[in-house]
Amino acid sequence: KAGVTQTPRYLIKTRGQQVTLSCSPISGHRSVSWYQQTPGQGLQFLFEYFSETQRNKGNFPGRFSGRQFSNSRSEMNVSTLELGDSALYLCASSSGRQPMNTEAFFGQGTRLTVV
Amino acid sequence: AQSVTQLGSHVSVSEGALVLLRCNYSSSVPPYLFWYVQYPNQGLQLLLKYTSAATLVKGINGFEAEFKKSETSFHLTKPSAHMSDAAEYFCAVRESNFGNEKLTFGTGTRLTIIP
């Protein structure tokens, strides 16, 4: 079956702009998580959505937001972009159901560059 | 709170030699542990996972890991390194609380294979 699809793969934005990233999970998966990967901070958890509700949240400012649609597709939005937001943004898909021994499947990521 | 420590940000081994990548975890509840691999400009691919069924876990590409509760370790090994193993490896922990899909990652270990 199809894997996790993230669009776009690459994005260049100007400081102060906003951006929306998209993630389509594996069919049947209801949980979508977002991670930011930078050389300095590594992989950091942004938030997780399950059945259209934010279930977990990391320690990122309110400029970072997300949502999930009824078909489990998720979007992440970053407003008022800063240079430090340049990163690889990874989306992870999982079933999100008990028992909790399921793994997360990752997309190829969206490389965001803020100039 | 959960955390993961990966000892050695860079590891170099000769082709055919043993690969050993170290991971120690901290978790207040029984953890689920994972090893992921990342190739350049790619997302994360699951190598293997520990979910309390067996302490020695076999994964893809000849990798395996042993869960040692007394040492709070989950080191990744491969008996004979191949050039295609060159990549970055991440250890991750997830607390087994219901509704908690958050993965906490280590800082990663970049594996170089010497011909």
Side-chain angles (χ1 to χ4, degrees):
Chain A
K1 53 185 176 182
V4 181
T5 303
Q6 289 189 247
T7 56
R9 286 292 311 277
Y10 301 92
L11 209 48
I12 300 176
K13 288 288 188 179
T14 303
R15 194 170 44 182
Q17 286 187 312
Q18 74 156 10
V19 67
T20 299
L21 312 181
S22 179
C23 172
S24 292
I26 291 170
S27 178
H29 283 186
R30 293 165 64 189
S31 170
V32 174
S33 299
W34 289 90
Y35 293 83
Q36 181 195 65
Q37 185 178 25
T38 60
Q41 299 298 317
L43 281 152
Q44 293 190 290
F45 173 77
L46 281 154
F47 32 65
E48 182 230 353
Y49 285 85
F50 179 80
S51 293
E52 303 179 64
T53 301
Q54 188 180 87
R55 193 163 63 168
N56 289 289
K57 189 177 188 304
N59 297 321
F60 278 79
R63 300 185 297 107
F64 292 81
S65 63
R67 59 178 176 170
Q68 187 180 34
F69 302 94
S70 58
N71 62 358
S72 292
R73 189 177 71 85
S74 177
E75 288 182 347
M76 190 191 92
N77 184 276
V78 187
S79 63
T80 321
L81 283 165
E82 300 177 359
L83 296 179
D85 297 332
S86 295
L88 180 67
Y89 290 88
L90 293 165
C91 165
S93 159
S94 64
S95 69
R97 297 191 298 265
Q98 286 281 19
M100 297 296 288
N101 63 350
T102 56
E103 62 263 33
F105 296 87
F106 284 80
Q108 292 191 304
T110 294
R111 172 76 63 185
L112 171 65
T113 302
V114 182
V115 298
Chain B
Q2 54 192 358
S3 65
V4 171
T5 302
Q6 290 184 244
L7 293 177
S9 58
H10 290 85
V11 170
S12 295
V13 301
S14 297
E15 190 175 15
L18 171 72
V19 175
L20 170 60
L21 304 182
R22 300 178 186 274
C23 172
N24 288 87
Y25 71 91
S26 171
S27 178
S28 57
V29 298
Y32 290 120
L33 294 160
F34 306 84
W35 274 99
Y36 284 89
V37 61
Q38 186 177 36
Y39 298 99
N41 298 314
Q42 297 293 318
L44 302 175
Q45 181 183 7
L46 180 72
L47 279 175
L48 48 80
K49 63 179 180 180
Y50 167 76
T51 58
S52 77
T55 57
L56 182 62
V57 181
K58 295 189 182 299
I60 63 171
N61 302 339
F63 285 94
E64 63 181 38
E66 185 173 7
F67 174 74
K68 293 187 176 180
K69 185 177 179 180
S70 61
E71 299 177 7
T72 60
S73 69
F74 191 56
H75 302 331
L76 181 71
T77 61
K78 181 173 180 178
S80 177
H82 191 272
M83 294 301 294
S84 61
D85 295 327
E88 189 151 23
Y89 292 79
F90 293 91
C91 182
V93 62
R94 188 180 77 209
E95 292 187 350
S96 55
N97 299 324
F98 175 68
N100 187 353
E101 292 287 326
K102 175 187 173 184
L103 285 167
T104 300
F105 286 90
T107 50
T109 297
R110 185 168 299 280
L111 177 64
T112 300
I113 310 299
I114 304 167

